[in-house]
Amino acid sequence: MSEPLVIVGNGMAAARLVDELARTALGRYAVAVIGEEPRLAYNRVLLSSVLAGETGSHEIELRPAEWWRHRGVTVRYGYRVTEIDTGRRELKIAGEESMEYSKLVLATGSTPLRLNVPGADLAGVHTFRDTRDVDLLLTLAAAKKRVVVVGGGDAVIFAAGIKPNVALAKEAGIAVNRGVVVNDVMQTSSSDIFALGECAEHRGTCYGLVEPAYEQARVLARHLAGRPAAYQGSVVSTNLKVSGVSVFSAGDFMGGEGSESLVLSDRSRGTYKKLVIADGRLTGAVLIGDTVDALWYLELIRNRDKVAPMRTDMMFGRAVAQPSKAA
Amino acid sequence: MTAIDPNLRTTKTTCPYCGVGCGVLATPDGKGGAAIAGDTDHPANFGRLCSKGSALGETVGLEGRLLYPMIRCKGLLERVAWSDALDHVAHRMQHIVARDGADAVAFYLSGQLLTEDYYVANKLMKGFVGTANVDTNSRLCMSSSVAGHRRAFGADTVPGCYEDLDQADLLVFVGSNAAWCHPVLFQRMLKNRGERGARMVVIDPRRTDTAGDVDLFLGLKPGTDTALFSGLFVHLADNGALDRDYIAQNTSGYDDALARARNIAGSVTATALATGLSEQDVASFFRMFRDTEKVVTLYSQGVNQSAQGTDKVNAILNCHLATGRIGKPGAAPFSLTGQPNAMGGREVGGLANMLAAHMGFTPPDIDRVRRFWKAPRIATHEGLKAVQLFEAINRGEIKALWVMGTNPAVSLPDADMVRDALKKLELFVVSENVLSNDTVAAGPHVLLPALAWGEKSGTVTNSERRISRQRAFLPAPGEARPDWWILSEIAKRFGFGDSFNYKSAADIFREHAALSAFENNGSRDFDIGALSSVSDEAFDALEPVQWPAREGQTPGERFFASGGFFTNDGKGRFVAPEVPALRGETGPSRPLRLNTGRIRDQWHTMTRTGLSQRLGAHLPEPFVEIHPDDASKYGIAHDSYARITTDHGKCILKAVVSDRQQRGTLFVPIHWSAMNTSHGRVGALVQSFTDPFSGQPEAKATPSAIAPYEFVFRGFALSRKQIDLPENLLWTRVTVAGGFGYLFADNGDLSRWPAWLENVAGEDVAEYRDFGGGVYRAASFAGDRIETCLFVGPAHDAGDWEVVKSAFAADQVTDEQRRMLLSGKSIEGAASTGPIVCACFGVGRGTICDTIAGGARTAAEIGARLKAGTNCGSCIPEMKRLIATTEAPVKPAKVVGAAG
């Protein structure tokens, strides 16, 4: 008899978890996915392409309906979970009957952070997070309104930050900090409840990007399959194009306490590069306009090598900093 | 004045730098510049030019030129008409002479002036104003040679000529870095060495490039040249090397001088002890001199710039007199003059202790000159020599000074005192080419625009008594006028128009030639009577001619081979020198001796050479050279900064640690001024003790102290126009291709640079900030062209500007170049070519080292591949050092092992 495993949230993290579970623990769980957005999971990263008119809205669907069906997953989109009853291991759903679970995974994602500045709540100030935002922005664009983008230089729209959706967990008495606090197997303070993706906070970090969610999904699937697994945290990067401008960010590109920032800017060339160094290591990078060395920076961040010997040259790329290796 | 050829024809003229006096072919480019080549017909250089001469075309632009007369009015200089400026000067001078006497006014002239300018200035002051307070920067340069010549020969005569340098079998350099300071002659001597096997000896406290690979280098203690040549004199006497007939027939004073020489250095051992040399080296030098008949002893500032300079000269001359090696082919003492027309200045009498045409202040000479000039108020006694003249200004005794074509606020010893003294003058007139230098900044009341090289026309005389034409090949710019015209206009206002009614330089030259021949009849060395009636056309076409050029005789004889001195008894005099001792005491607070000198690619205070980007690339910053032992003793690291302190002033200079420098001594180049560096006015360090006979100051042995000076940041800026850097910065400005470069060191906060840049640069700015790493770099652009570059970084790792300079030099940068600009690295990631070694062909050290690493093991091989060293050759010694210090290419292990 399969255990009922419910995933709250119908985004990229949920889809990946289902995929991983199908590989590692096929048949062990009866999986149900409950999502608020009125459609199947789609690739949120490509929203900007939809916005740019490069991609049709329906082309970004992650998996077709039959994919879900073939894996025996019950997908219920357009439904909102209103409460978790941890005692009864039951979910309350708006306008529906309650649903029992044996294991619960929270993949509720995040909402865009509105900057705490005067006017942030005015009409005409929008965020860019889901297909509804895209539809709205496309409407505005059609009306030839001028759009001001805030965050990530002149281009990473969501780089102003995310706000993990934690209300459900919090009300259920699950430990919540900025996100839902999880350990290295993505387990929350309530032992049968897990969290992953943008709603989760692992070792103090909430990841606003898809790659960590995928890594977390793999770890969680292995754990749920009874295999040893541990999530060590991710060095995250994004590499995208916004209105034809290449944008890359990786790691702790905001640069907090104890870090140093190196900044190269050349407005006429449309170039902005920021490298963050902490403890003699590269810990974050933002590149706008000139992303030639993006993967090299990512490698430096992930390898955690000391960068002091090439600190001065690093900004100008591998060809300058490591001419022999670059060739 | 020569008219400018509208067809931009090539004009034969003479180089305005050192006393070699090279012929130059100048072809105007029609855009204000000129193509420069050596004149193959000129007997001084036969077509060769040095790095400085080759770059003359880069220095004739009008930027920074003084083009109009100016008078200070309520503190500010204002443009006025020539007539107003001249009236003002004449009126003020007359007033001061009337009130305080003629000795209250003075002229300070220059070896840069043409003979005709010099002649008119000298005549006006000594003959008509009535004072001999006419001195010249030649006082700082070769006046000890003049005094030595006069004591020994009875006249200021250079006995030999350049041909002697081709014919000598032994060339002895004393206090001369000819490889850098007289490169064309040095190359000529190297040719002799290569073809005829002439040997070379270099006597110098510094192991200069002249000593590169000579047969014998004698690194004697500073100021002990007299001991060495006294020892040599004794050795010659004791070893049967004297020309006893010559001594008996043609000289006097032999016994006394030899006795004094024995007293100073009576043996090889005593000489070694006195000079700090090894007995072996001393003996070896003595033997070479003794056994070589054809020997030329060349001496320059190391001998002259000394409080015992005249004695040094005479100690050398004694040895030549004692062996009769004087005025014979390949055998002579030879004074290498520093300036293009030091000799011409001496010929007209432009020194305070000369009257005119090699005549002095003896009653017959005074009377003769008075009659020739029909001079109403001829000066009857010597005037004040330069150092004393400026001291008299400081005391308020001289109230009016006219400076022509020189920069005393930089070049005189105790230069800060001099600069301050100038501010005390009641009337301070400066005739100049440039709008700004330290002397112009010292507050002159009147600025008069003089013609510059390439515009003026007249004659100069080189080190071998050869008179050559400087000819105009550019039009007179603005309202600039010849110095002789300015002086003649003043003379007319004094009421002496009949005696100064000159129409041309040729007019003046004819009078000068006539005076040289006036009642001469062979009694005076300087006689160019054969030229006294030269026509204007013949003057324009005048070929280089050596004096004496006596009426009816073949010009250009050597002097004194068989006596015929210009003393009263016609005999050459041995002079007994004083026991050598340096002036100024060293002690715990001033433990080192500060030596001053020149570098290869700069000239004087850089008002001309400083305009050339090629010449600025070799040694762009002022520096102090120190021996490694002293460096470690005083905590000085190579390429760091050091503060030099003397009793007179302070400088902060880049430290160059080198074993070419002697222990206990420092070397600093003289060229920088307040115009192009913040802390490098070296003249301010120098003590003002002078030689009792020549009045030449001791510029090479000032007691001094050195201490490290730390900077947190270093950097550079490049700009199309001159810019003001933030305050409290150590900086040096260098001309670079396309604009100006600034090298600086700073202890200020890094955050002040973005704000500074905002004021200097436009809107289009690229910026790199790593404040945590101590780095700020920025560049501004106008379209595709770089306008400003700024690189600031930690002192130990501030980066190299060569790559950035080459991007800046271009009229436009590609997008990829712009992308890489602030990296300070070239787009290919290739190493920069490094600082320029060969200024003639612009070849950098990195390129040369690569070529050496690629297998070139001789200067000739490098030259074949890169052309470096194949023009003036003055970089060859440096290339040889690089060969010696650069790893040879990897060869089979066996060979390397054997070599190791």
Side-chain angles (χ1 to χ4, degrees):
Chain A
M1 183 64 185
S2 302
E3 286 181 60
L5 183 148
V6 179
I7 303 171
V8 181
N10 183 22
M12 296 172 80
R16 180 54 67 103
L17 180 62
V18 168
D19 194 15
E20 293 284 351
L21 280 171
R23 292 167 199 270
T24 55
L26 189 65
R28 179 165 172 175
Y29 296 101
V31 180
V33 175
I34 304 173
E36 212 174 312
E37 279 195 69
R39 56 177 293 183
L40 285 174
Y42 58 88
N43 186 339
R44 199 183 301 282
V45 175
L46 294 177
L47 278 182
S48 54
S49 296
V50 177
L51 181 61
E54 294 164 3
T55 311
S57 182
H58 284 279
E59 293 169 45
I60 64 171
E61 232 164 48
L62 281 171
R63 303 293 185 190
E66 59 269 27
W67 183 88
W68 299 95
R69 236 180 358 256
H70 287 161
R71 281 158 186 75
V73 177
T74 309
V75 181
R76 305 181 70 180
Y77 51 77
Y79 292 91
R80 190 160 62 87
V81 176
T82 55
E83 189 187 330
I84 303 165
D85 185 336
T86 55
R88 301 165 70 105
R89 296 193 182 185
E90 200 173 87
L91 296 176
K92 291 189 177 151
I93 301 169
E96 289 287 317
E97 288 179 13
S98 298
M99 183 185 266
E100 291 185 0
Y101 67 83
S102 167
K103 296 274 192 297
L104 177 66
V105 178
L106 298 175
T108 51
S110 63
T111 44
L113 195 64
R114 279 176 182 257
L115 293 180
N116 186 19
V117 293
D121 296 330
L122 290 175
V125 178
H126 305 281
T127 57
F128 173 48
R129 183 62 189 170
D130 59 29
T131 49
R132 287 168 297 194
D133 296 337
V134 172
D135 292 342
L136 180 64
L137 287 171
L138 286 172
T139 313
L140 288 173
K144 298 201 171 136
K145 305 267 185 192
R146 184 183 289 253
V147 176
V148 176
V149 179
V150 177
D154 58 1
V156 186
I157 284 90
F158 48 81
I162 52 155
K163 189 173 153 200
N165 294 328
V166 297
L168 206 55
K170 198 172 181 179
E171 281 162 24
I174 296 167
V176 163
N177 191 13
R178 216 181 126 219
V180 181
V181 177
V182 296
N183 63 16
D184 286 358
V185 293
M186 315 313 295
Q187 191 174 36
T188 68
S189 63
S190 179
S191 60
D192 293 327
I193 301 179
F194 302 83
L196 85 171
E198 294 171 9
C199 69
E201 176 177 328
H202 174 260
R203 296 186 188 176
T205 301
C206 298
Y207 295 97
L209 296 161
V210 72
E211 205 173 345
Y214 284 176
E215 289 176 40
Q216 292 167 354
R218 190 163 65 245
V219 169
L220 178 55
R222 286 176 67 87
H223 177 73
L224 291 172
R227 300 194 199 172
Y231 176 63
Q232 306 286 347
S234 297
V235 172
V236 295
S237 69
T238 60
N239 204 342
L240 51 117
K241 256 190 175 181
V242 177
S243 306
V245 178
S246 299
V247 178
F248 168 84
S249 71
D252 169 30
F253 56 82
M254 297 304 282
E257 189 89 350
S259 69
E260 299 174 274
S261 293
L262 286 58
V263 177
L264 175 76
S265 68
D266 186 343
R267 204 170 303 168
S268 304
R269 281 194 80 245
T271 307
Y272 174 90
K273 297 171 83 173
K274 175 178 169 184
L275 301 178
V276 178
I277 291 178
D279 191 27
R281 297 178 169 92
L282 188 64
T283 56
V286 179
L287 311 177
I288 297 170
D290 180 353
T291 56
V292 173
D293 289 288
L295 293 180
W296 180 58
Y297 293 129
L298 189 60
E299 185 186 319
L300 290 174
I301 296 168
R302 287 184 169 154
N303 291 348
R304 297 178 56 75
D305 292 335
K306 292 277 189 186
V307 294
M310 58 182 178
R311 177 169 176 148
T312 316
D313 294 332
M314 193 166 52
M315 180 63 85
F316 304 95
R318 187 172 205 165
V320 169
Q322 295 180 330
S324 57
K325 292 184 183 175
Chain B
M1 282 179 277
T2 309
I4 300 303
D5 191 307
N7 300 318
L8 308 178
R9 198 178 51 186
T10 296
T11 300
K12 286 190 172 199
T13 184
T14 310
C15 178
Y17 294 128
C18 79
V20 176
C22 295
V24 168
L25 301 175
T27 313
D29 61 12
K31 292 175 282 186
I36 298 295
D39 181 355
T40 49
D41 295 335
H42 198 288
N45 59 320
F46 298 107
R48 250 182 204 282
L49 288 179
C50 73
S51 55
K52 293 180 283 277
S54 303
L56 273 166
E58 293 175 30
T59 69
V60 293
L62 296 182
E63 186 166 326
R65 278 288 299 277
L66 173 66
L67 295 174
Y68 305 98
M70 300 177 102
I71 291 182
R72 192 172 299 277
C73 182
K74 292 176 184 157
L76 293 176
L77 285 164
E78 288 179 7
R79 181 178 167 180
V80 296
W82 262 113
S83 55
D84 291 343
L86 294 165
D87 287 349
H88 180 78
V89 172
H91 175 258
R92 295 295 301 148
M93 271 184 72
Q94 277 178 309
H95 171 77
I96 291 166
V97 169
R99 189 190 63 200
D100 302 312
D103 286 342
V105 299
F107 280 5
Y108 188 61
L109 311 178
S110 165
Q112 311 283 306
L113 295 176
L114 301 181
T115 299
E116 294 71 23
D117 301 321
Y118 242 131
Y119 178 87
V120 177
N122 191 58
K123 177 181 174 183
L124 174 62
M125 283 293 266
K126 289 180 184 159
F128 291 75
V129 176
T131 177
N133 284 342
V134 179
D135 215 39
T136 153
N137 60 14
S138 292
R139 180 68 59 196
L140 314 176
C141 182
M142 38 37 39
S143 60
S144 294
S145 285
V146 174
H149 289 161
R150 291 177 77 196
R151 287 205 300 185
F153 309 148
D156 175 20
T157 315
V158 174
C161 55
Y162 290 165
E163 279 178 10
D164 296 331
L165 310 179
D166 306 329
Q167 294 160 356
D169 295 317
L170 177 63
L171 295 156
V172 181
F173 298 84
V174 195
S176 160
N177 185 7
W180 278 17
C181 301
H182 301 93
V184 169
L185 274 191
F186 188 66
Q187 292 302 313
R188 190 164 168 170
M189 291 184 270
L190 286 179
K191 184 160 177 271
N192 176 3
R193 187 179 187 220
E195 291 175 0
R196 295 182 60 260
R199 287 179 297 171
M200 288 184 168
V201 176
V202 170
I203 298 163
D204 198 313
R206 298 172 60 216
R207 188 181 280 273
T208 62
D209 270 11
T210 305
D213 54 358
V214 294
D215 301 273
L216 182 63
F217 168 67
L218 299 176
L220 80 183
K221 286 194 288 190
T224 61
D225 316 66
T226 297
L228 183 64
F229 281 88
S230 293
L232 175 62
F233 187 13
V234 172
H235 179 84
L236 296 170
D238 291 353
N239 289 275
L242 299 177
D243 184 339
R244 296 211 170 268
D245 289 347
Y246 186 90
I247 294 170
Q249 288 163 25
N250 300 315
T251 71
S252 65
Y254 169 78
D255 291 334
D256 287 352
L258 181 60
R260 179 65 59 81
R262 279 191 198 288
N263 189 27
I264 292 169
S267 64
V268 167
T269 308
T271 308
L273 205 62
T275 56
L277 298 167
S278 75
E279 288 189 32
Q280 195 185 352
D281 282 352
V282 170
S284 160
F285 168 56
F286 287 0
R287 222 173 17 249
M288 284 164 84
F289 194 101
R290 184 190 71 199
D291 296 342
T292 313
E293 199 56 39
K294 289 186 170 184
V295 51
V296 175
T297 306
L298 302 111
Y299 52 94
S300 192
Q301 309 307 2
V303 166
N304 293 335
Q305 289 185 331
S306 159
Q308 294 183 319
T310 307
D311 276 358
K312 289 186 190 180
V313 170
N314 286 109
I316 293 167
L317 299 184
N318 285 349
C319 295
H320 279 271
L321 288 172
T323 48
R325 294 171 187 166
I326 188 163
K328 294 174 182 163
F334 205 103
S335 153
L336 288 171
T337 52
Q339 300 202 71
N341 200 27
M343 292 285 277
R346 286 147 76 165
E347 287 153 20
V348 303
L351 288 158
N353 51 336
M354 304 285 285
L355 179 54
H358 277 205
M359 288 177 275
F361 285 94
T362 61
D365 281 353
I366 294 169
D367 183 58
R368 188 179 303 114
V369 177
R370 182 188 60 77
R371 284 185 285 113
F372 182 86
W373 279 344
K374 301 185 178 63
R377 277 190 285 280
I378 197 156
T380 53
H381 58 270
E382 295 184 2
L384 292 171
K385 303 184 184 91
V387 174
Q388 287 75 31
L389 191 147
F390 283 88
E391 284 170 356
I393 293 169
N394 196 38
R395 289 192 303 270
E397 293 163 18
I398 288 177
K399 296 181 167 35
L401 175 72
W402 188 340
V403 174
M404 293 177 211
T406 184
N407 197 355
V410 180
S411 53
L412 275 165
D414 205 357
D416 284 351
M417 181 282 283
V418 169
R419 192 169 60 175
D420 293 343
L422 292 172
K423 293 173 181 155
K424 301 180 181 178
L425 287 161
E426 235 177 89
L427 175 66
F428 178 18
V429 183
V430 174
S431 307
E432 249 307 335
N433 294 159
V434 295
L435 258 174
S436 60
N437 65 29
D438 289 23
T439 300
V440 171
H445 305 106
V446 184
L447 287 182
L448 302 174
L451 290 181
W453 182 81
E455 299 152 8
K456 59 186 177 181
S457 177
T459 61
V460 292
T461 308
N462 72 5
S463 287
E464 64 160 350
R465 292 174 276 110
R466 189 176 299 278
I467 297 168
S468 298
R469 284 295 317 277
Q470 263 196 23
R471 294 182 174 91
F473 57 90
L474 295 168
E479 293 182 1
R481 295 283 185 273
D483 287 286
W484 62 258
W485 179 88
I486 302 171
L487 288 156
S488 301
E489 287 297 309
I490 294 292
K492 285 173 193 165
R493 283 161 172 78
F494 286 168
F496 308 129
D498 290 349
S499 301
F500 291 84
N501 195 22
Y502 302 116
K503 299 283 183 292
S504 66
D507 260 0
I508 301 162
F509 181 80
R510 283 187 287 265
E511 180 179 313
H512 167 56
L515 173 59
S516 74
F518 184 59
E519 299 173 3
N520 188 326
N521 304 317
S523 66
R524 304 192 304 272
D525 66 337
F526 179 65
D527 185 346
I528 53 169
L531 303 170
S532 61
S533 52
V534 67
S535 67
D536 285 4
E537 292 73 23
F539 181 74
D540 262 354
L542 189 68
E543 295 288 333
V545 56
Q546 212 166 15
W547 64 259
R550 300 182 198 278
E551 186 75 58
Q553 290 182 24
T554 315
E557 71 196 41
R558 291 180 175 85
F559 285 92
F560 314 136
S562 39
F565 292 93
F566 299 98
T567 50
N568 289 337
D569 57 7
K571 294 194 170 190
R573 288 203 191 90
F574 286 92
V575 176
E578 292 298 318
V579 176
L582 289 172
R583 296 292 301 273
E585 295 293 320
T586 53
S589 68
R590 299 281 182 265
L592 302 163
R593 290 280 180 186
L594 179 80
N595 185 0
T596 63
R598 291 147 192 262
I599 61 172
R600 193 189 74 192
D601 288 352
Q602 295 297 347
W603 171 257
H604 281 192
T605 62
M606 293 165 67
T607 48
R608 181 173 292 281
T609 48
L611 302 174
S612 160
Q613 53 93 4
R614 261 198 291 171
L615 299 179
H618 182 233
L619 295 169
E621 277 181 287
F623 61 89
V624 55
E625 210 164 287
I626 182 171
H627 187 274
D629 290 354
D630 288 332
S632 94
K633 187 170 172 184
Y634 299 106
I636 309 295
H638 183 70
D639 201 41
S640 68
Y641 287 92
R643 185 176 59 197
I644 320 298
T645 313
T646 71
D647 287 349
H648 310 278
K650 285 188 183 68
C651 284
I652 300 172
L653 304 167
K654 181 73 82 60
V656 174
V657 177
S658 164
D659 58 10
R660 291 147 58 85
Q661 190 62 20
Q662 195 173 115
R663 284 178 195 80
T665 65
L666 303 172
F667 172 77
V668 291
I670 59 170
H671 307 288
W672 282 269
S673 70
M675 292 301 114
N676 47 35
T677 194
S678 59
H679 294 75
R681 273 173 48 86
V682 163
L685 299 171
V686 178
Q687 63 189 4
S688 51
F689 292 117
T690 56
D691 181 278
F693 307 99
S694 69
Q696 186 152 354
E698 174 94 276
K700 293 183 172 284
T702 304
S704 57
I706 189 167
Y709 199 94
E710 304 286 346
F711 285 98
V712 177
F713 300 108
R714 284 198 203 173
F716 60 84
L718 297 164
S719 173
R720 298 291 167 195
K721 54 187 193 305
Q722 293 197 20
I723 43 176
D724 291 326
L725 293 168
E727 308 237 302
N728 302 318
L729 202 69
L730 181 119
W731 59 269
T732 300
R733 191 185 69 231
V734 193
T735 299
V736 299
F740 301 92
Y742 296 80
L743 291 159
F744 58 80
D746 189 16
N747 280 326
D749 195 321
L750 205 55
S751 63
R752 68 171 164 165
W753 287 104
W756 173 83
L757 186 81
E758 210 165 290
N759 286 325
V760 173
E763 291 285 300
D764 186 2
V765 173
E767 210 185 33
Y768 170 57
R769 295 184 189 213
D770 174 11
F771 281 5
V775 178
Y776 180 74
R777 298 172 182 175
S780 74
F781 302 83
D784 293 334
R785 196 167 92 132
I786 303 170
E787 286 296 301
T788 321
C789 278
L790 173 69
F791 274 59
V792 194
H796 62 87
D797 182 27
D800 170 10
W801 76 344
E802 296 296 338
V803 170
V804 187
K805 260 172 42 180
S806 65
F808 181 79
D811 257 350
Q812 56 182 49
V813 287
T814 63
D815 183 66
E816 183 62 10
Q817 283 170 327
R818 178 164 172 159
R819 177 174 175 262
M820 295 300 290
L821 180 65
L822 297 183
S823 74
K825 300 281 167 67
S826 66
I827 195 162
E828 298 83 9
S832 85
T833 60
I836 293 295
V837 172
C838 170
C840 296
F841 294 110
V843 186
R845 192 192 294 157
T847 311
I848 289 171
C849 288
D850 288 348
T851 306
I852 296 168
R857 298 307 291 172
T858 66
E861 285 171 34
I862 296 172
R865 298 187 198 188
L866 303 174
K867 293 176 89 172
T870 58
N871 182 39
C872 79
S874 60
C875 61
I876 290 174
E878 190 167 339
M879 291 203 292
K880 287 183 176 172
R881 285 208 306 281
L882 292 173
I883 292 168
T885 54
T886 304
E887 291 285 323
V890 179
K891 292 177 185 170
K894 227 174 171 178
V895 179
V896 172

